[in-house]
Amino acid sequence: MSEPTQPKGSDDPAQVAAFEARIARGETIEPKDWMPERYRRQLVRMMSQHAHSEVVGMLPEGNWITRAPSLRRKISLLAKVQDEAGHGLYIYCGTETLGVDRAELIDQLLAGTAKYSSIFNYPTLTWADMGAIGWLVDGAAIVNQTMLAHASFGPYARAMVRICKEENFHKRQGYEIMATLAAGTPAQKAMAQDALDRWWWPSLMMFGPSDKESPNSAELLRWKIKQKGNDELRQRFVNLTVPQAAAIGLHIPDPLLTLDKETGDWEFGPIDWNEFMQVISGNGPCNRERLAARRKAHADGAWVRDAAVAHAAKDAARSAA
Ligand code: FAQ
């Protein structure tokens, strides 16, 4: 494990001012640079939640790998799920540059004390859900992460550049599944519409609470970790997605959706924030199932970790000799 770059609690005002001047000039902060302890903690919080989301996010889609309707679909889905594992690893590596061990973060996830994205606590009931996840969930992730690719912390921003390229492929494979189903038999089209109905509102919740209810946004924006607030990104996602739904003949399940001709924004109905709070407090439809699956995978993989440690020790002994 790498060490934190300065002793905790050493935030003297002159250093903070110099740091904030660097942020104001648009400079990138690197792991060995001085940073306020609070900046480091905010990054660890956000990046670890993000890494956990990628890892837990493999589960809803993993559910359909053995049931993909063709070899082509199976290969794409397998590749996508593998990519998500890779994204989790890049981001955990980013947190290691901030002095936090990946094992410690995974322990928090398995203990149920860490957050991960609310979206992955919903079930995947039909094949169309693979389309809806790629199109909507990866689509939302791209909107959010394209902004994070300009985050002030270098390792996180650079991870986002690569991740966004892969998410683009994910989104296209999802939209293609939805377009194919929507142009299929009435039953296939109904399946696509049902998936959109179930995933639409949870996708809007991915962007987090509205700005006025978001305790972290002000600080993250000030330090340019986030470049935009939750509401602006949510609106951007809605504006991009509404025409995509219309193009394949599907209906967004929101009777209040209307185009504001002056701003060009699609105004949408109220989000059920009670549902969001329930899901992020551990009471969503699949929270318990997701954690149970991660705990089992961790226990089943113990022998792999043991073997890797033994191999590394052998290698080190050989090099020393
Ligand atoms: N779910 O003050 P804010 C993906 C929490 S990756 C759960 O607004 P912040 C790829 C928040 O943590 C998806 N918790 O927080 C993929 C905070 O709690 P805390 C993940 C949420 O940080 C696709 C509290 O509420 N992406 O999908 C959520 O300023 C397909 C107050 O909120 C990222 O993590 C939520 N939706 O803004 C994989 C991107 N929203 O920590 C597989 C990086 C909020 O104080 C398949 N993260 N909370 O206890 C971010 O951009 C931000 O952290 C936000 C939240 C926007 C998620």
Side-chain angles (χ1 to χ4, degrees), residues 8 40 49 61 65 93 101 107 126 129 139 152 174 197 202 269 309:
K8 291 190 176 148
R40 192 184 75 84
Q49 288 180 9
E61 289 171 292
I65 290 172
C93 286
D101 198 287
D107 284 348
T126 69
D129 289 7
S152 56
D197 292 348
V309 169

Side-chain angles (χ1 to χ4, degrees), residues 29-89:
I29 307 301
E30 295 297 338
K32 291 195 168 149
D33 296 346
W34 188 90
M35 62 186 80
E37 177 56 20
R38 178 78 191 157
Y39 177 86
R40 192 184 75 84
R41 278 209 233 144
Q42 274 288 26
L43 279 169
V44 171
R45 179 191 68 81
M46 197 167 136
M47 291 167 68
S48 64
Q49 288 180 9
H50 191 167
H52 297 330
S53 304
E54 300 281 357
V55 169
V56 177
M58 290 191 281
L59 296 170
E61 289 171 292
N63 181 31
W64 279 90
I65 290 172
T66 55
R67 291 176 286 164
S70 69
L71 182 59
R72 176 172 169 260
R73 295 289 188 210
K74 190 194 282 265
I75 291 168
S76 308
L77 188 59
L78 260 176
K80 177 182 192 302
V81 172
Q82 270 183 341
D83 285 352
E84 310 301 356
H87 299 174
L89 289 177

Side-chain angles (χ1 to χ4, degrees), residues 45-46 49-50 53-54 57-58 61 80 84 115-120 133 137-138 141 144-145 147-148 156 167 205-209 213-217 220 226 230 276 280:
R45 179 191 68 81
M46 197 167 136
Q49 288 180 9
H50 191 167
S53 304
E54 300 281 357
M58 290 191 281
E61 289 171 292
K80 177 182 192 302
E84 310 301 356
K115 286 196 173 72
Y116 58 87
S117 182
S118 49
I119 193 77
F120 302 118
I133 291 180
V137 177
D138 287 271
N144 173 267
Q145 293 169 15
M147 178 271 300
L148 291 174
Y156 194 30
E167 304 287 28
M205 293 175 197
M206 281 178 73
F207 293 90
E213 306 291 336
S214 162
N216 298 294
S217 279
L220 296 176
K226 277 182 174 179
N230 299 352
F276 172 76
I280 71 168

